[in-house]
Amino acid sequence: MANHNPWPDEGNTGHIWDEDLRELDNPPPLWWMLSFYAGFLIIIFYTLYYPTIPLTNSMGEKTEGLAGWTAVNEYEEDFKVLKDWRVAKFADKEEKLAAMSVADILKDDELKSYAVATSKMLFGDYCAACHGAGGAGNPSFPVLADDDWLWGGKIAQIEASIKNGRMGNMPAKGMMGNLSDEEIDSVTDYVIALSEGTAGDDAYKAGKAVYTKGMCLACHGPAGKPLAPAGAANLTDQIWRFSGDRDDIRSVIAHGVNVKKNGEYVAGTRKAVMPSFKERLPNADVNVKRLAVYIHALGGGQ
Ligand code: HEC
Ligand code: HEC
């Protein structure tokens, strides 16, 4: 830096390095100053135009700027575009589902996978509370993902279960309601033996006789397996509709299932009601079929 300023008239600040490197005192160029002020204006405009400051108004709604824009509104608009696109894209499939019978839908692989794929949410919303996620069952609510059916695993039977609902009936203490406590005990042991494959043993002769006396075979079949699905459980497998504990099994035999007197459930009877969904489901004409196809495909469909 030199003390002597060889360029006194050019408006430099007097700071000079390396002999001739000077710091000048020029105002910024006009274009720069204009952009600078314009930047301020843009900030003010932006703050007012978009909801920059996150306030809520007295109605508890999101702050809108002068533009009336919010991210939520934009999301909703975009979502609607997507939804409309999907409706349009799948309109022909939906029409086919509405027009075709469930049996025909099953024969059409593409339509079948479409029905299955679009059922999951529906099942979660309307069925899983009772039948468990993926139809895995819950205590007192049947598994839908196996091949053990109360009302039948043919597609038309599944469709009817969903559409009209189901309600199994089992009288208390045998068909005539005339079994004694001892008889109930021995038939309970016989039923457990049926599931374990030891029912032929001499020990269960008495129980077997009670099974005949109580006319259990009218519904559960002569060998513990219903001849046709009509709501009665198969007693020869290890799948229990209720807990499968001896006490529970005995209780079902003693108090029956869905036994009512004067319109009220009697004490101790098992409640097992599948509600009818033909009015409960939105767009039921299509959705009952969709769900029937889904359940048929869970693994146990016949
Ligand atoms: C309130 C509880 C409940 C809800 C919700 C429910 N179910 Fe059921 N569902 C049952 C019960 C209980 C049974 C057994 C009825 C019986 O024992 O007779 C059943 C039986 C069935 C059966 C017959 C099973 C068989 O073994 O034959 C099908 C199929 C079925 N439900 C499908 C559905 C579908 C699909 C939905 C949803 C749209 C649904 N259920 C919603 C309680 C329910
Ligand atoms: C009128 C028909 C009917 C008669 C008669 C009948 N049951 Fe049942 N039984 C049913 C139905 C229906 C169910 C299943 C209800 C359900 O799951 O919703 C059932 C369920 C059972 C269960 C529970 C099975 C399980 O998986 O938890 C047992 C055990 C049983 N019955 C034993 C008997 C015995 C023993 C007799 C004779 C004393 C008998 N039942 C008579 C209709 C009948």
Side-chain angles (χ1 to χ4, degrees):
M1 233 206 269
N3 289 329
H4 170 70
N5 186 348
W7 301 277
D9 301 328
E10 72 172 1
N12 67 46
T13 59
H15 297 155
I16 299 165
W17 296 266
D18 291 345
E19 319 253 300
D20 63 352
L21 186 58
R22 288 103 70 197
E23 179 183 30
L24 303 185
D25 188 19
N26 291 332
L30 183 64
W31 68 263
W32 192 92
M33 285 311 288
L34 288 179
S35 328
F36 184 69
Y37 292 124
F40 271 112
L41 291 177
I42 288 171
I43 290 174
I44 293 167
F45 167 77
Y46 201 90
T47 309
L48 296 174
Y49 195 72
Y50 286 113
T52 317
I53 304 166
L55 304 170
T56 38
N57 61 26
S58 56
M59 309 299 286
E61 289 164 354
K62 294 122 218 150
T63 324
E64 292 179 354
L66 294 177
W69 180 93
T70 73
V72 174
N73 293 348
E74 184 173 290
Y75 162 77
E76 278 164 3
E77 277 159 24
D78 287 356
F79 191 66
K80 189 174 170 304
V81 171
L82 183 68
K83 236 167 121 179
D84 292 348
W85 175 81
R86 287 187 49 156
V87 167
K89 181 167 156 80
F90 296 117
D92 59 325
K93 289 213 172 70
E94 291 292 325
E95 267 164 36
K96 277 193 195 159
L97 283 188
M100 285 163 71
S101 74
V102 273
D104 288 339
I105 297 171
L106 271 195
K107 286 183 210 139
D108 181 329
D109 278 347
E110 202 192 325
L111 210 51
K112 185 179 147 186
S113 2
Y114 173 72
V116 169
T118 49
S119 281
K120 284 173 193 157
M121 285 254 283
L122 209 56
F123 188 85
D125 287 349
Y126 288 91
C127 322
C130 289
H131 290 289
N138 263 326
S140 292
F141 298 107
V143 178
L144 300 176
D146 63 9
D147 58 358
D148 187 65
W149 298 101
L150 295 164
W151 298 100
K154 300 213 174 76
I155 187 71
Q157 293 166 320
I158 297 175
E159 184 187 27
S161 292
I162 303 170
K163 195 164 166 187
N164 307 321
R166 297 286 197 187
M167 182 164 145
N169 266 302
M170 165 161 161
K173 305 180 183 180
M175 195 73 114
M176 299 314 194
N178 59 353
L179 300 185
S180 68
D181 280 355
E182 294 84 69
E183 285 172 326
I184 293 173
D185 271 321
S186 68
V187 80
T188 301
D189 293 334
Y190 175 69
V191 165
I192 293 170
L194 278 175
S195 77
E196 287 169 354
T198 53
D201 293 3
D202 281 352
Y204 302 113
K205 268 212 170 110
K208 189 170 183 196
V210 180
Y211 189 81
T212 308
K213 179 182 170 188
M215 295 190 225
C216 315
L217 46 104
C219 300
H220 292 287
K225 197 171 169 192
L227 297 178
N234 180 352
L235 303 175
T236 62
D237 56 21
Q238 305 270 340
I239 301 168
W240 294 100
R241 252 301 261 119
F242 307 109
S243 78
D245 291 345
R246 187 182 187 284
D247 285 351
D248 225 19
I249 295 169
R250 190 188 188 286
S251 170
V252 173
I253 299 170
H255 303 289
V257 177
N258 293 324
V259 181
K260 288 189 179 172
K261 218 176 201 167
N262 305 326
E264 301 279 318
Y265 286 102
V266 304
T269 196
R270 282 292 163 164
K271 291 178 199 153
V273 180
M274 161 71 189
S276 150
F277 276 91
K278 64 171 171 271
E279 257 119 51
R280 259 167 238 239
L281 279 176
N283 196 5
D285 285 350
V286 177
N287 282 336
V288 165
K289 292 187 208 171
R290 194 196 307 274
L291 282 166
V293 170
Y294 171 70
I295 286 165
H296 189 268
L298 283 178
Q302 293 154 2

